[in-house]
Each structure stands twice: as C-alpha cells, then as structure tokens.
Amino acid sequence: MDALLSIEKVSVSFAQRKRLFGKERVSLRAVDDVSAEIGEGETLALVGESGSGKTTLGHVVAGLRKPSAGRVRLRGAELGAGNRALAGRAIQIVFQDPFSALDPRMPVSDIIAEPLRIQGIGTKNERRARAASLVEEVGLPADALNRYPHEFSGGQRQRIAIARALAPAPELIVADEPLSALDVSIQSQILNLFRDIQKREKLSYLFISHDLGVVEHLADRVAVLYLGRIIELARREDIFAHPAHPYTRALLDSMPSIGKGRRRKRSIKGEMPSPLDPPTACVFHPRCPLAQDICRKVVPRFEPLAARPSHSAACHFKE
Amino acid sequence: MTDLATEGALARPARAVEAAQSVWSLRWRRFRHHRGGMASLVILATLVLFCLFAYPLERYLGLDSNTTDLLSRYDPPSATHWLGTDEGGRDELLRLMYGGQISLLVGLLATVIGGGIGVSLGLLAGYFGGRIDSFLMRLTDGVIALPLLPLLIVLAALDLTKLGFSSEFAHSGAAGFWRIVVIIALVDWTAIARLVRAATLSVKERDYVLAARASGAGALYVMTTHVLPNIVTPIIVAFTLTVGRVILFESVLSFLGFGIVPPTPSWGNMLNNAQELVTTAPALAIYPGLLIFITVIAVNFLGDGMQHAFDPRSERR
Amino acid sequence: MVGFVLRRIGQTLVVLLVMSFIIYGLIGLMPGDPIDIMAASMPGVTPEVVAKLKAIYGLDQPLMLRYWRWLMAALQGDLGFSRTHSQPVLEVLTPALWQTCKLMISSFVLSVIAALIFGVVSALRPGGFVDSCVSLFAFAGISVPVFWLALVLILTFAVGLHWLPASGMSNVGEGGFMDQVRHLTLPVLTLMLANTGQFTRYVRAAMIETLRMDFVRTAWAKGAGAWRVVIVHGLRNALIPVVTIMALSFGTLFSGALVTETMFAQQGMGKMIYDSILSNDFNLALSGLLFATLITLLSNLAADLAYGWLDPRIALK
C-alpha cells in the first residue's frame, strides 16, 4: 500500500494482577485489534470518550509503547527497535497538557531544538537557527527563544510544543487532544495553526479528540473508538451526514450546537464499562438503543458498508 | 501576560538572564528569612575558616602540633598554648584545627561518594522500574535494616593485607583515611537512594520526557538531561543532611579507635582516652565534642533552612 | 494477611542468612588467623589438634565450605567458644543481651513518653515559644555525638556533683535493685536525650497534620469541651505512623547503646561486640554481630507487621 502510515491489527494489553481473588491474571485490553491507514497530507481523526484507548493508540504510533499484537508501518517499513531513529524523526507528538509538556528547566530554544539534538542532526548553531525560524512559524516573537516555559500562557506553550514537533521535519504528527486544555478562545487559534502548518509542511495528522466540533474542522477521515475497539471509520462528510454505528450517532446527537434549533440533546444511556470487564460480543450493546439478541452473542465484524466501501463500521445494523 | 512583541531589543539579554535566575534568587530570599539557616551558614563558614587557619597559626606560634613533649602534658592555657596542651604535650588548639580539617574532609568526601552511589541507584531503580527496581529496593531495605555501627566497626577492623594490599599501604595514614571514607559511604547511601527513586518516579512520566522518548531519546539522555536537573533541590537538601550524619559516624568510629588513627588528629579520636581526661583535664574532654556538636547542628539547621527555601508548594511550576 | 506475614518473615530470614554469610566473610578478614590465636591461648593444644581444626575452620579452606560448617553447627546451637571469656559463646551472650535490653527498653520507653508530651504540646501552638524551644532541643538531640553527651553527663553528675556513679553496673558488695538503677541512670539518660529529639519531631509533625484535618476543626468549632476529644482522636490518628517509625528506630537504638555501654562500662551486647573485635575473638564477634542484626531485623519486622495490621492496605500490596 502507498499509505504513509498503516496501523495493522494493533492491540495493547496490560496485565493486571488481582491478588485478592487468588492468582488470577486479568488483562486489560486498552486497544483491541485496531487497523487504519493515514495517507500523505491527510488528517485522520481518532474520536472517543475517555477510556476508549485513543491515547494509548496514539502512544503506540508515536513509538512510546510497544503493541502487544500487530504492527505499525511507515511507508511499508515496520517500525521497531531497528529503525527508532527513522521513527523519531518522521513521527512526532503534541500532548494535551501544555503545562507538563515543556521541561521547566530548559529555555525555549533548547526545547524546540531538542528532537534535533537527540537525533544528532545539525550543529549547535544550525539547531539554534532552526529553532528561531520555527518560533516565527508558530507565531511567537523572536525573543521567546531565551525565555523559560513558565513565562508563557497555555496557548503559547502549546505553540512551543508544536514548534518542537516540527523541528525534525516530520511527516506525521500525533496530536493527542492538543486543544482540550486550552481556553475556548485560544482553541480556534491553535486549531488554525494546525491547519496552516499542515498545508505549508504537507503533514499528516493523527488527531485525537473527544470534541466532534473540532474534528469537523480538521479531519479528512474519522475513526471512532469505543473500549479500545474501532467501531466506525469513514470520510468526514460521511460520518457527520450518515453515521452508521449507534454510538457515533449518539455522539453526534450529544454535540452542543449553537443555532441548530432547540433540539433536545439525547444522552447515551449508562456509562462506559470498565475495560477490565468488557461486555460480551458487541461491546456497546448494554447502552445501545438498537440492541438485539444477536448483539449479545455475535461479535459484529468491522467491515465496509455495502452502499459506501470507504465507510466501515462494526454493527449488525449498520446499513 | 505582558505583550512580548513589544519588548525592546535591548531588554532581551537582561530578561533572559533574569528569567533563569529568578527561581534561585527567590529561593535565596526565602532562605535569608530562615534565621536558623542563615546563622548556620555563618557558623559553618567560620568553622571552615577556623580549621584552615591551622597552618598559618602554627607557623605564627612557632610550634609543631605533632611532636610530643611528655614533660608538658596537660598544661593549662598560656601565651604559647592558647588552650593548653593535650596528653602528649601537643598544642590543643592546633590539634583542634587540624582535626577539624580531617573530620570535615571525611564528612564531605563520604557524603559525595555515598551520595553518588545513592543517586545512581535511585535513578536506575526509579527510571527502569520492574525487576531492577525490586532488586535495588530489596537491597536498600536490607541495608537500612542493619545495625550500622557494629557493621562499621567490623569493616573498619578489616585487615587490608588479607585483601591483597601490601603491608605498608595497609598501615599508612592514607589508607586509614580512605578506609573510613569508603565504609561510611558504603552504608550511608540509602536515604538518598530512596529519595531519588521517588523523585525520579514522579518525573519520568511527565510529557516532556515522553516527547524526548518519542524523538528517540535513550535512557541515559533522559536521566541526565531531564530527570536530574528537575530533582536537584531535594538532592541538595539530602546531601546537606547527610554531611551531618557522616560527621557523627566518623567521630564515633574515631572515638572508639576504629576511625582515624592517631597521631593524625580528628575531633573524634581526640576523645580516645576520655576516661583519663575526665579526671585530669575536663576542658579537653569538652572542646572536640563541642565542635562536632556545633558543626552537626549547624549543618542540620542549614538543611532545614534549605528545605524551607526550596519548598515546592510555594514555587511556580 | 497470612500471606503478608509469611512473606515478611521469609524476607527477614533471607536477609539474616545473607548477612550471616557476609559477616562471616568479613570476620575472616580481620587481622590474625583465628585458629592460631585460639591455639595460643589454650593450654595443651597439640599441633595435630591445631592442624585438624585448621582443616575444618582454617582460612585456607574455601569460604563457602567454612561458612557451611559454621552454619550447620550454629543451627544446632553450637556457636563456638569465646577465647577471651573462656566460655561457650552462648553463655557469654545471654547475660549481655539481658543487660542491653534493660538499657534499651528503659530508654526507649522513657523517650517515647517524653516525645509524646513534648510533641503534642508543641504541636498545639506551632511557631510559639514552647514549640521553638522544643524544636531547638530536638535538633540538638539529633546533632549531638552520643559519646560526648555521655562525657558531659559524667562530668556534670559523676565527677562534678558526685550524685551518680560514672561507670559500672553495680558497686562491689551491693548489686541490689536501687544500686543497679543508680548505675543505669546516666546511661539511660544519655540515650534518652539523644533519641527523644528524633521522636519528638515525628510526633510533632504527625500531630500538626492531624490537627489540621477537617474533623478536628469541626470539634474545635464546637467549643472547649471538644478539646479533650480532639486530643484523644487526633493523637490516636497521629500515633499510627509515629509508633511504627519509632519501632523501626528501635533497631538503630542499638548503635547508641553500643557507645553508651562502652562509655559507662556496662557489660552489654554492644560493649561485648566492641571488645571482641578489638581482641580478635572471632567467634564471639561473629555471634554478637549476628545477634545485633537479628534484633534489628526483628524490631523492623514487628513494626512492619504492626503497621500491616493497623493499615490493611499495606498488607494487600
């Protein structure tokens, strides 16, 4: 395949020891058999509630965690211990919390240039020059270079984090809820920054978010995760216009919408179950308005819709 | 927030330095308010200077602090012997000063070496976790659970020739000195190790560490570039408090005859024949111990003051 | 719970075994050949007997083998013969152990009581005059060299004021209870002054934390009558971590006891270990050190178990 990044049947399990009940070893499947692809210059949005495994999956793509099963490929090459350097340069990550994403003891120019320093790219002066140009690119003043993180606001820190991610000229950036910790007024600024940078540097994004409104603005395709399993994947327009999975529909319905008429928001029944003890067969069935007997017994396969092959979902009633 | 875009070009270098220093000057200001800490700083500085003056004073008085003169044992204070003489006829004041040099030096060296061991082990345990952590923590707990003084005595009594060292080396003053430093360092690293491990655990999952790892950073890079600089303050406090403990260890070992061996003076071994001193020259029994006491209490207050100054609750992130 | 207890006991045994090996090896590194020294002081020992002994215990035998033989004998109750006391080791250790217990337990109990009083009183008004005095006293306690403190006390009470005996465990011809108490007073007082400081700080810190909690504030607001309740409840909650820390310190009390016994010529375990190392009485030194280690380990174990019982979460880890 020609995809830039392909996630192939990735699963991540954590072993949990439950001593109280004897030597039972229960494993927590944070990510369960997820496959997806991201093309060049494309944004794949990863949507889900907390506990859905989206951050864990993002960490796997960024090389921070080894999958228990499956693999991640960059342009066909499997990412592993052998090509750490390649992955480190080509895939970068921006985190959610701007206040813990920057080392308080390092000046901004060092923070931004750090990926280059780690990879041994360029001389000290070259790195400094790169940091200077990046600082401008993310919309910060030049004198920010000599300052320390605590002198900046949340939005500015996030810009610094983005500049750092851009330093090694990556091809894909994993953005793990980069807007969630920011003030609403700042969010759109940073979102626009993401868009501008994408166009300029021809980047791909794995954009993780629980906010569908943000997703609508940025994503080319959308993947929906529930309890570590991918339950729907489609082009942006299709997800928003014709959601196939009841969970996706419920998410869309619960989106706050200004000016769309005073339609009563439908909330999803119940709470997300604990990943330690997932429901049988279709994991969504306890909360699903369409649940039938088959949903409790047979695991719905994640497959394309007959009507639109580019649109896949895992539901017995997806059509 | 200040409008960064309007800062003048001339203001740039000054503000950069200011930003880097503001954290430490804040701490210094807080430290100054701690009376115990400030007093201790002054006292310790005075003590160090006092000890360093040994050689100049010796020349000035025209004495030799090492030669014994059994005819003038236990002389009362006089113009030449400001504090009198000890059981060997040597000048008491000078021996106090030289003894101080030894005791303080041992304190410093054993702290640095032991602290180095503690920091390394704590970093390894905290960063790598898993079996390395379990093993190191069991080791630490094991050492903590031991009765230290008896163990130190045995270690101090070892015959170095049985370990393969030559006889003259084994009995030299240098060997005696380094033996004390090494054995104290070998038993006193545990407190620092635990502290560093806990601090490492809290830092290693922070996002900036993850960012470095995503770029391919290895363990050594992360530990030296990100973890250590961020855990420096509790380490400084722990090192300071360790100095006090180490000085007490050295003094008690020397007192018992297992530490610094005469004729080299140390505050501890100057009290070797304490029973005799008590009846013949009580003042001589007081001076060395008093100096140890003052030093250690000052060091502890210093550490306490530092702890107040570095209090993370009043510091910005 | 049972699993926790078994695990901790198992760990203790492992540490004890490892320590016995290490100490056995270290003792072998002490100056002199144990067999030769022993043979020199035992009359009528023929060279053949010496050779036979050397074949079993001699230093040219491999370490593991020697250790194994010693271990097997020790497990059957044969700890060897003490050269300096001309008695089996066990017969020397038992009365010494009792003597040390008298010293350690009485000073421990008194320290705890004093620490509770001082700690609670100073916690009631942190930063006040009483608190400052107590804090200063506590600092002094942890900073003072124990042997020097003993000297000062001897100078004051024995030599200066002649109120109390300077050394020994009883006067010749007496040995009644009161006489023993008089002889124990200064040693106990020394240990007490040194340890109370440390304990007081724990109690004070724990009490301040507890007094700050919500349930205490509500009681305060209800008026003076609730004051008693606050002290009782507050103290009870504060005591849990404090008691366990104190129990953990019981083991380190041993080091202080060693010094004190040596200073005051008390024939306890500490002095015995010291003497045996000084005179190269290998068997006695080895057994004495192991006993000391055992005492420390047992007190740690007891503290852990008590803590596990009081706070079930620890036991479940």
Side-chain angles (χ1 to χ4, degrees):
Chain A
M1 287 300 288
D2 261 319
L4 172 67
L5 185 93
S6 71
I7 303 167
E8 297 173 7
K9 298 172 97 48
V10 165
S11 296
V12 180
S13 307
F14 300 109
Q16 295 265 337
R17 250 184 272 164
K18 286 172 95 176
R19 264 228 153 141
L20 287 172
F21 306 156
K23 299 241 176 137
E24 233 178 85
R25 275 193 174 228
V26 186
S27 57
L28 191 165
R29 294 204 121 198
V31 176
D32 194 350
D33 199 32
V34 169
S35 300
E37 277 176 4
I38 309 180
E40 279 187 41
E42 183 187 18
T43 300
L44 174 69
L46 201 56
V47 170
E49 298 172 284
S50 21
S52 59
K54 49 194 203 299
T55 295
T56 311
L57 184 61
H59 281 194
V60 168
V61 170
L64 290 171
R65 192 181 290 285
K66 268 183 60 169
S68 319
R71 60 192 58 80
V72 177
R73 289 188 200 273
L74 181 68
R75 292 186 194 286
E78 181 173 342
L79 293 180
N83 45 15
R84 203 65 204 81
L86 167 69
R89 185 200 59 78
I91 304 177
Q92 282 287 317
I93 183 165
V94 174
F95 294 98
Q96 174 175 358
D97 182 8
F99 289 93
S100 62
L102 310 176
D103 187 335
R105 306 252 178 264
M106 286 170 72
V108 166
S109 68
D110 284 355
I111 292 178
I112 295 178
E114 193 182 11
L116 300 173
R117 178 175 159 206
I118 292 173
Q119 306 238 317
I121 299 175
T123 68
K124 205 150 153 209
N125 286 326
E126 285 169 353
R127 293 202 286 262
R128 216 165 188 280
R130 176 99 176 116
S133 81
L134 284 168
V135 150
E136 205 186 309
E137 191 170 339
V138 297
L140 286 170
D143 67 356
L145 286 170
N146 292 325
R147 292 163 178 245
Y148 286 81
H150 67 258
E151 300 180 67
F152 296 93
S153 67
Q156 289 169 322
R157 290 194 206 206
Q158 203 64 306
R159 289 178 195 264
I160 297 172
I162 293 172
R164 174 174 65 190
L166 290 174
E171 303 184 65
L172 175 92
I173 293 186
V174 177
D176 188 358
E177 308 238 31
L179 310 177
S180 312
L182 302 174
D183 289 336
V184 176
S185 50
I186 308 286
Q187 283 184 15
S188 48
Q189 284 181 30
I190 304 296
L191 185 56
N192 287 331
L193 179 62
F194 268 105
R195 281 167 83 157
D196 294 340
I197 293 175
Q198 183 173 35
K199 270 191 237 144
R200 232 178 303 151
E201 312 283 343
K202 309 206 195 350
L203 291 169
S204 304
Y205 287 148
L206 177 63
F207 201 93
I208 303 172
S209 181
H210 63 271
D211 185 343
L212 284 169
V214 165
V215 166
E216 195 173 11
H217 276 98
L218 197 57
D220 296 311
R221 287 190 304 144
V222 179
V224 182
L225 280 186
Y226 186 78
L227 267 190
R229 294 148 182 79
I230 186 166
I231 50 114
E232 186 158 2
L233 173 62
R235 295 200 330 245
R236 179 192 9 110
E237 314 82 61
D238 293 334
I239 278 255
F240 280 92
H242 319 284
H245 196 284
Y247 177 61
T248 316
R249 260 181 247 137
L251 278 181
L252 289 167
D253 281 343
S254 59
M255 256 174 75
S257 46
I258 304 171
K260 269 220 191 130
R262 294 188 135 262
R263 193 161 48 113
R264 180 177 164 77
K265 282 195 291 164
R266 252 184 296 157
S267 52
I268 312 177
K269 176 180 77 178
E271 272 182 12
M272 188 180 282
S274 157
L276 279 167
D277 191 18
T280 52
C282 175
V283 286
F284 188 57
H285 82 253
R287 304 165 77 190
C288 183
L290 301 180
Q292 305 283 329
D293 229 24
I294 186 178
C295 304
R296 285 179 264 275
K297 301 216 183 85
V298 179
V299 178
R301 278 207 307 253
F302 181 72
E303 42 188 22
L305 293 164
R308 274 185 303 279
S310 65
H311 188 152
S312 303
C315 176
H316 294 299
F317 305 106
K318 55 183 178 285
E319 313 287 350
Chain B
M1 279 304 295
T2 49
D3 189 354
L4 298 169
T6 58
E7 294 288 335
L10 285 172
R12 256 180 271 145
R15 286 218 55 180
V17 175
E18 204 187 281
Q21 286 187 342
S22 69
V23 181
W24 282 101
S25 57
L26 195 68
R27 291 168 173 168
W28 171 242
R29 238 177 297 140
R30 273 204 302 265
F31 180 79
R32 278 213 312 259
H33 282 45
H34 190 268
R35 267 173 295 153
M38 282 305 291
S40 304
L41 207 55
V42 171
I43 291 176
L44 284 172
T46 315
L47 268 172
V48 171
L49 285 172
F50 168 76
C51 295
L52 290 176
F53 258 99
Y55 186 65
L57 186 63
E58 198 177 14
R59 301 299 311 272
Y60 171 73
L61 290 173
L63 301 169
D64 180 355
S65 63
N66 274 320
T67 46
T68 52
D69 178 4
L70 293 171
L71 292 175
S72 3
R73 306 173 76 210
Y74 298 125
D75 278 354
S78 62
T80 33
H81 297 289
W82 295 355
L83 286 180
T85 59
D86 68 357
E87 73 277 359
R90 300 167 288 204
D91 182 77
E92 173 75 4
L93 179 61
L94 285 177
R95 282 188 58 85
L96 280 176
M97 293 162 105
Y98 277 116
Q101 288 183 6
I102 300 284
S103 294
L104 290 175
L105 195 58
V106 170
L108 221 56
L109 285 174
T111 300
V112 167
I113 295 176
I117 297 176
V119 168
S120 313
L121 293 184
L123 270 180
L124 288 175
Y127 189 81
F128 290 111
R131 258 182 259 161
I132 297 181
D133 185 22
S134 294
F135 171 70
L136 285 175
M137 276 308 102
R138 292 244 191 94
L139 178 70
T140 311
D141 288 342
V143 174
I144 290 180
L146 298 174
L148 286 184
L149 192 57
L151 204 60
L152 280 173
I153 293 179
V154 172
L155 285 171
L158 293 184
D159 186 352
L160 285 178
T161 54
K162 287 189 180 176
L163 282 170
F165 290 102
S166 73
S167 184
E168 335 110 45
F169 173 75
H171 293 109
S172 66
F177 176 82
W178 283 106
R179 181 215 300 260
I180 293 298
V181 170
V182 167
I183 65 180
I184 295 180
L186 278 180
V187 301
D188 203 50
W189 51 266
T190 51
I192 290 188
R194 276 195 165 168
L195 185 74
V196 169
R197 174 183 175 274
T200 305
L201 283 175
S202 77
V203 169
K204 78 161 182 174
E205 292 299 331
R206 302 229 178 117
D207 284 344
Y208 55 83
V209 169
L210 294 182
R213 282 176 47 209
S215 294
L220 192 62
Y221 174 87
V222 172
M223 286 196 276
T224 48
T225 316
H226 287 297
V227 179
L228 265 183
N230 279 297
I231 61 177
V232 138
T233 43
I235 289 183
I236 292 180
V237 174
F239 266 67
T240 310
L241 295 175
T242 304
V243 171
R245 272 202 312 272
V246 166
I247 292 181
L248 283 178
F249 268 134
E250 181 271 321
S251 68
V252 82
L253 278 175
S254 302
F255 164 72
L256 290 174
F258 290 104
I260 306 285
V261 180
T264 316
S266 106
W267 284 339
N269 74 12
M270 286 171 76
L271 291 171
N272 258 166
N273 43 350
Q275 316 290 39
E276 194 189 315
L277 290 174
V278 157
T279 42
T280 47
L284 263 45
I286 306 270
Y287 297 137
L290 187 62
L291 284 174
I292 299 173
F293 183 40
I294 294 177
T295 307
V296 176
I297 206 174
V299 164
N300 283 333
F301 263 115
L302 185 67
D304 198 54
M306 282 177 164
Q307 216 154 30
H308 272 86
F310 293 161
D311 189 344
R313 270 175 285 173
S314 39
E315 236 171 57
R316 279 179 298 177
R317 277 163 98 212
Chain C
M1 186 59 198
V2 177
F4 172 70
V5 172
L6 288 177
R7 248 187 305 144
R8 284 299 287 115
I9 294 182
Q11 280 171 7
T12 305
L13 286 175
V14 168
V15 175
L16 190 60
L17 201 65
V18 171
M19 278 318 296
S20 72
F21 179 67
I22 293 178
I23 293 177
Y24 187 85
L26 287 178
I27 295 284
L29 288 174
M30 273 167 53
D33 185 313
I35 312 295
D36 286 334
I37 295 180
M38 201 168 63
S41 65
M42 279 166 77
V45 172
T46 60
E48 292 88 44
V49 177
V50 174
K52 216 165 37 152
L53 282 173
K54 277 201 174 172
I56 305 177
Y57 296 112
L59 286 174
D60 34 324
Q61 299 289 314
L63 178 61
M64 277 310 294
L65 199 57
R66 281 190 286 137
Y67 172 69
W68 185 252
R69 288 185 178 135
W70 172 83
L71 185 63
M72 289 298 110
L75 288 175
Q76 289 169 17
D78 176 17
L79 287 170
F81 197 80
S82 159
R83 183 181 54 80
T84 47
H85 293 254
S86 301
Q87 282 177 294
V89 163
L90 212 47
E91 284 177 26
V92 178
L93 282 183
T94 319
L97 192 57
W98 173 232
Q99 185 64 29
T100 301
C101 278
K102 278 193 275 186
L103 181 59
M104 278 175 76
I105 292 178
S106 34
S107 65
F108 182 68
V109 167
L110 288 172
S111 300
V112 169
I113 295 176
L116 284 176
I117 298 176
F118 286 139
V120 170
V121 165
S122 65
L124 287 178
R125 244 182 269 279
F129 177 68
V130 172
D131 183 33
S132 304
C133 290
V134 169
S135 290
L136 193 60
F137 170 72
F139 255 103
I142 61 179
S143 313
V144 73
V146 178
F147 61 93
W148 182 71
L149 181 63
L151 265 179
V152 170
L153 287 177
I154 290 178
L155 272 175
T156 324
F157 292 104
V159 176
L161 295 170
H162 291 289
W163 283 358
L164 294 163
S167 65
M169 299 182 299
S170 56
N171 285 334
V172 178
E174 294 182 40
F177 183 69
M178 277 315 294
D179 185 44
Q180 283 188 40
V181 167
R182 282 184 73 232
H183 278 92
L184 264 184
T185 307
L186 279 184
V188 170
L189 188 61
T190 310
L191 274 184
M192 230 197 91
L193 286 174
N195 285 310
T196 305
Q198 187 190 18
F199 293 169
T200 307
R201 293 181 90 209
Y202 294 144
V203 175
R204 176 181 176 277
M207 275 304 289
I208 288 183
E209 267 303 304
T210 317
L211 286 176
R212 259 204 292 216
M213 290 199 213
D214 287 339
F215 75 88
V216 167
R217 285 171 162 191
T218 351
W220 272 120
K222 288 202 190 138
W227 198 72
R228 286 279 176 84
V229 177
V230 159
I231 297 297
V232 170
H233 278 293
L235 195 60
R236 245 220 299 261
N237 278 299
L239 270 185
I240 296 175
V242 165
V243 163
T244 41
I245 292 180
M246 288 185 184
L248 287 170
S249 312
F250 189 78
T252 59
L253 250 190
F254 194 84
S255 302
L258 193 157
V259 175
T260 319
E261 285 171 6
T262 316
M263 287 296 303
F264 291 101
Q266 308 272 314
Q267 297 300 330
M269 284 278 290
K271 180 166 198 309
M272 199 205 62
I273 293 178
Y274 172 70
D275 288 338
S276 63
I277 293 180
L278 213 48
S279 54
N280 288 327
D281 187 345
F282 294 90
N283 286 327
L284 192 56
L286 178 57
S287 304
L289 277 167
L290 279 177
F291 257 83
T293 309
L294 183 63
I295 293 176
T296 317
L297 286 175
L298 281 179
S299 66
N300 282 353
L301 178 66
D304 266 357
L305 291 180
Y307 204 18
W309 174 65
L310 287 168
D311 186 351
R313 294 173 291 172
I314 306 282
L316 287 175
K317 258 204 306 190

